[in-house]
Amino acid sequence: MDTPLTRTNLFGLDRQALREWFAQAGEKPYRADQVMKWMYHRHVTEFTQMTDIGKTLCAKLQGLAEVVPPNVLFEKQSTDGTHKWLLGMDAGNAIEAVFIPESSRGTLCVSSQVGCGLNCQFCSTATQGFNRNLSTAEIIGQVWVAAKHLGNVPHHQRKLTNVVMMGMGEPLLNFDNVVRAMSIMRDDLGFGLANKRVTLSTAGLVPMIDRLSEESDVSLAVSLHAPNDELRTQLVPLNKKYPIAQLMDACVRYTQRRPRTTVTFEYTMMKGVNDTPELARQLVRLVRKVPSKINLIPFNPFPGTRFERSDESVIRQFQSILIDAGVLTMVRRTRGDDIDAACGQLKGQVMDRTRRQAEFRKKIEEGVSNAA
Ligand code: SAH
């Protein structure tokens, strides 16, 4: 192998790709397994500290490869324990990852794109537009940063038990990178998470849901938010292309793959918009055909939004209608409100470059003053 101009960031390769990479470099494929253990189990990024690879291979790796996690621009912890990282991806681009600790599990919310192009009306990421897809290294790097912070060691004391692809972006529009990163999350030599503890959330890209069921057996969440096409198209413009009937059929197909699974429907509760008893009854009829459960998410406000959160009593009534009809329905507790880490509040810097960089500086300054 000639010395390349840019070195390969090994965070971008899953186990199979890393084995092939070593083979191409004239090395035994099992070296991939050794290096992965250092990277993901011990959080080591320097080849010189990987003591079982030998001096010659170490020098060779230094020439060909690197292990570079995202740059932590700042981090913040909420009063409820929710932890948010602002991660710099390249000049002017940053994304956020959020860790949500609960008594029985710890969930990391991971981003798949810088910004988002789907323009869902109630989501703050949409106001920033779409900038670019994240690479596999940038996606798995978010998990790495969180796991390192939490001192997570697979098979020992687990703090990070679940990953949800529910941060910024539409994961099914960055399919290959997301699938590869999710494979590292579930690999024993990676983060060793159980398949069902890695969840991909989509606004409903029907053909890609089918592709996902062929290539990966992660859990699926679908952002539904409305039980009829008229309302859903207003809230989630993608619905125009893939209306509810098609989406429900794709969900049924997903649940029928092997091993069989269920789908989680996310439903953000917006005052006077999608929270009436009649809509709850429509929702019952809709989801009956799909082995599923429903998560009701109280709407999280952000500056400039025209939506408001449904009243607590309205959410409870909506939930009762569903439960009484036999639909498993949970109300998601809002977490990380005080640090803008709740659903739909994740902000990176997109728009035009000037604004991006101005905001970037502001965030960094805020980070510095918060840390002080
Ligand atoms: N694009 C993917 C993943 C990102 S959104 C998707 O649409 O599923 C993650 C979840 O947060 C989705 O269910 C989304 O609809 C919800 N969400 C977005 N904005 C929100 C807000 N302001 N308040 C509450 N939930 C929101």
Side-chain angles (χ1 to χ4, degrees), residues 143-163:
V143 188
W144 189 91
V145 165
K148 182 168 188 237
H149 168 86
L150 297 164
N152 205 56
V153 179
H155 312 304
H156 291 281
Q157 184 201 7
R158 280 173 182 275
K159 288 180 188 153
L160 197 166
T161 58
N162 293 56
V163 169

Side-chain angles (χ1 to χ4, degrees), residues 78-316:
S78 158
T79 45
D80 67 14
T82 301
H83 196 106
K84 177 167 94 166
W85 290 266
L86 182 73
L87 302 172
M89 293 301 175
D90 56 37
N93 277 324
I95 56 95
E96 291 177 348
V98 181
F99 179 71
I100 305 149
E102 288 171 291
S103 51
S104 60
R105 62 182 174 191
T107 304
L108 185 71
C109 182
V110 167
S111 295
S112 56
Q113 299 179 318
V114 184
C116 185
L118 291 185
N119 203 23
C120 298
Q121 293 300 296
F122 52 89
C123 177
S124 79
T125 307
T127 61
Q128 305 165 27
F130 172 71
N131 192 341
R132 68 168 176 84
N133 280 334
L134 293 178
S135 66
T136 302
E138 290 168 332
I139 298 167
I140 202 66
Q142 298 169 55
V143 188
W144 189 91
V145 165
K148 182 168 188 237
H149 168 86
L150 297 164
N152 205 56
V153 179
H155 312 304
H156 291 281
Q157 184 201 7
R158 280 173 182 275
K159 288 180 188 153
L160 197 166
T161 58
N162 293 56
V163 169
V164 290
M165 298 298 307
M166 282 187 196
M168 290 169 62
E170 169 50 51
L172 290 184
L173 286 176
N174 185 13
F175 190 86
D176 292 340
N177 291 340
V178 166
V179 165
R180 218 174 289 133
M182 291 191 308
S183 126
I184 301 171
M185 293 171 202
R186 289 139 62 227
D187 191 333
D188 279 343
L189 296 178
F191 294 107
L193 300 178
N195 289 340
K196 62 173 199 246
R197 289 176 177 273
V198 174
T199 301
L200 184 145
S201 177
T202 178
L205 275 123
V206 167
M208 302 311 276
I209 292 175
D210 288 326
R211 214 180 131 196
L212 184 70
S213 75
E214 284 160 22
E215 296 193 23
S216 191
D217 40 17
V218 294
S219 295
L220 181 70
V222 171
S223 295
L224 193 57
H225 310 304
N228 63 65
D229 282 323
E230 195 192 344
L231 181 58
R232 189 164 192 269
T233 300
Q234 285 172 29
L235 299 172
V236 183
L238 182 71
N239 191 70
K240 215 173 169 156
K241 194 157 181 197
Y242 303 115
I244 290 180
Q246 286 183 30
L247 180 57
M248 291 298 131
D249 287 348
C251 290
V252 169
R253 289 194 293 276
Y254 198 84
T255 61
Q256 288 167 345
R257 61 127 216 247
R258 305 273 164 210
R260 282 179 180 270
T261 181
T262 58
V263 168
T264 303
F265 291 113
E266 310 280 325
Y267 196 103
T268 299
M269 298 294 290
M270 290 169 265
K271 194 180 212 155
V273 173
N274 64 352
D275 61 355
T276 63
E278 168 53 23
L279 291 172
R281 287 188 285 271
Q282 283 185 24
L283 189 56
V284 167
R285 293 196 287 276
L286 186 66
V287 301
R288 212 167 245 155
K289 296 162 253 166
V290 190
S292 59
K293 68 173 179 9
I294 294 185
N295 269 343
L296 300 177
I297 313 169
F299 172 72
N300 294 310
F302 54 89
T305 181
R306 61 191 153 100
F307 297 106
E308 285 173 75
R309 178 178 299 178
S310 304
D311 292 335
E312 182 69 31
S313 59
V314 171
I315 298 178
R316 290 288 159 208

Side-chain angles (χ1 to χ4, degrees), residues 7-34:
R7 291 182 291 171
T8 306
N9 186 356
L10 299 188
F11 275 130
L13 306 177
D14 60 16
R15 193 199 301 206
Q16 194 191 335
L18 194 59
R19 282 182 173 166
E20 283 162 17
W21 186 88
F22 270 95
Q24 264 211 320
E27 299 291 334
K28 293 270 187 309
Y30 79 88
R31 294 296 192 183
D33 304 23
Q34 285 179 312

Side-chain angles (χ1 to χ4, degrees), residues 25 57 111 339:
L57 178 56
S111 295
I339 57 168

